[in-house]
Amino acid sequence: MAYDLILQNIARHINLTPGEQDHFISLLKPEEVKKKALILREGQLCNNIYYVNSGILRAYHLDKDAKEATIMFALSDWWITDMFCFINCQPAMLFIEAVENSSIVGLQKKDLDQLLIEVPKFERFFRIIMQNAYIREQLRVIQNLSLSAEERYHSFLTKYPQVVKQVTQKQIASYLGITPEFLSSLKVNKTKN
């Protein structure tokens, strides 16, 4: 597996020496994941954060009626985990599934903790990643509270046009908190206008 993409991702925020790059790469666990395979299940200890080299992953939660609520998508060059459970070394609350055949790399929590001590500049990198994730989720909550379903759908189309092409209508609907049927009606209304 080539590590160019993940190193470019890191280089946007910090500069690594060749030795630091080699050390970081030595901690990564590459994995090829088939479509619909689960890399994390609810209740399983969440001890990895994943970087998507290619493909797309989806994190979702099942309610008591087994209804899915998509929490996030992760495309190529994105990071994903069940963050609360990863940070606190707890059983996962989420499932993480490959939406399509995907190439990912995992970084274990114990290796990340050691990396942050050995190469302190990674503190900056992961702080920026966490800040960006927090901002994204805060904006999503505000939109869910203040925008109509139609406005949320249009915002999703504008913000994530590449996701729309790679995931199912059911998955988009579960991300938006609406039914697939209602999403269909929104799409029909959009084409009429």
Side-chain angles (χ1 to χ4, degrees), residues 120-152:
K121 59 181 95 172
F122 270 104
E123 288 272 357
R124 173 181 162 75
F125 174 75
F126 282 101
R127 176 183 52 80
I128 292 168
I129 295 297
M130 304 286 179
Q131 285 174 329
N132 290 341
Y134 181 80
I135 290 166
R136 184 177 55 249
E137 291 309 309
Q138 180 179 330
L139 292 174
R140 181 175 175 206
V141 169
I142 290 169
Q143 285 186 341
N144 285 347
L145 294 172
S146 62
L147 300 179
S148 69
E150 184 172 6
E151 291 168 323
R152 291 194 315 270

Side-chain angles (χ1 to χ4, degrees), residues 28 34 44 50 63 67 86 94 112 118 121 133 154 159 166 193:
L28 301 176
K34 296 286 186 195
Q44 174 186 342
Y50 298 96
D63 70 11
K67 182 180 172 193
F86 176 73
L94 303 176
L112 174 60
E118 294 170 352
K121 59 181 95 172
H154 292 300
K159 196 175 217 175
Q166 295 178 271
N193 294 335

